[in-house]
Amino acid sequence: MSSIGSSNVGFQLLKKSGWKEGTGLGAQEQGRLEPVETRVKNNKRGLGSKEPKPKPVVNDDVETAPKRHKQDVPSTKRAKLAAKRIRKMQEEEKRAQEKEFEIAFFREFWPENV
């Protein structure tokens, strides 16, 4: 690793706060002497992961894994999308009922305004 240059904004801020070059950042100057190394993460796994996710093993043995028809096993993606649509419809219905209640309430107490 290399140390940060004196033109770096972080370096300048540390100097203003009383830090001396070549010393650690801790109370007794026991902290890191070099900046933390960064790297670009291009996969969708967690920050600590180093290897790409292994691909699932496909078992082509007919005896142990009988063929399934597409109609027999619903797609999880389709099921999730359907559940999302149902939730949205239920939310819209709930909002409509609340609006109807609000309108009925105002009509009962302030009929001239509605």
Side-chain angles (χ1 to χ4, degrees), residues 9-11 16 30 38-39 48 51 56 73 85 90 92 94:
V9 176
F11 182 92
K16 281 184 181 179
Q30 81 283 7
T38 59
R39 63 184 169 110
E51 299 176 4
V73 181
R85 280 194 304 266
Q90 289 172 340
E92 288 175 17
K94 185 177 179 184

Side-chain angles (χ1 to χ4, degrees), residues 19 24 36 41 53 56-57 62 81 101:
W19 172 74
V36 177
K41 187 177 123 4
K53 188 175 183 179
V57 178
V62 177
L81 289 173
F101 176 79

Side-chain angles (χ1 to χ4, degrees), residues 38-55:
T38 59
R39 63 184 169 110
V40 178
K41 187 177 123 4
N42 291 323
N43 60 24
K44 294 184 178 184
R45 301 200 62 202
L47 289 176
S49 71
K50 295 179 183 174
E51 299 176 4
K53 188 175 183 179
K55 295 190 178 193

Side-chain angles (χ1 to χ4, degrees), residues 65-75 78:
K67 291 184 181 179
R68 297 181 190 171
H69 295 288
K70 198 172 189 178
Q71 298 166 351
D72 294 343
V73 181
S75 169
R78 276 193 224 139

Side-chain angles (χ1 to χ4, degrees), residues 3 9 17 59 73 77 81-82 98 104 112 114:
S3 62
V9 176
S17 67
N59 191 355
V73 181
K77 189 173 185 177
L81 289 173
E98 289 172 355
E112 66 275 355
V114 179

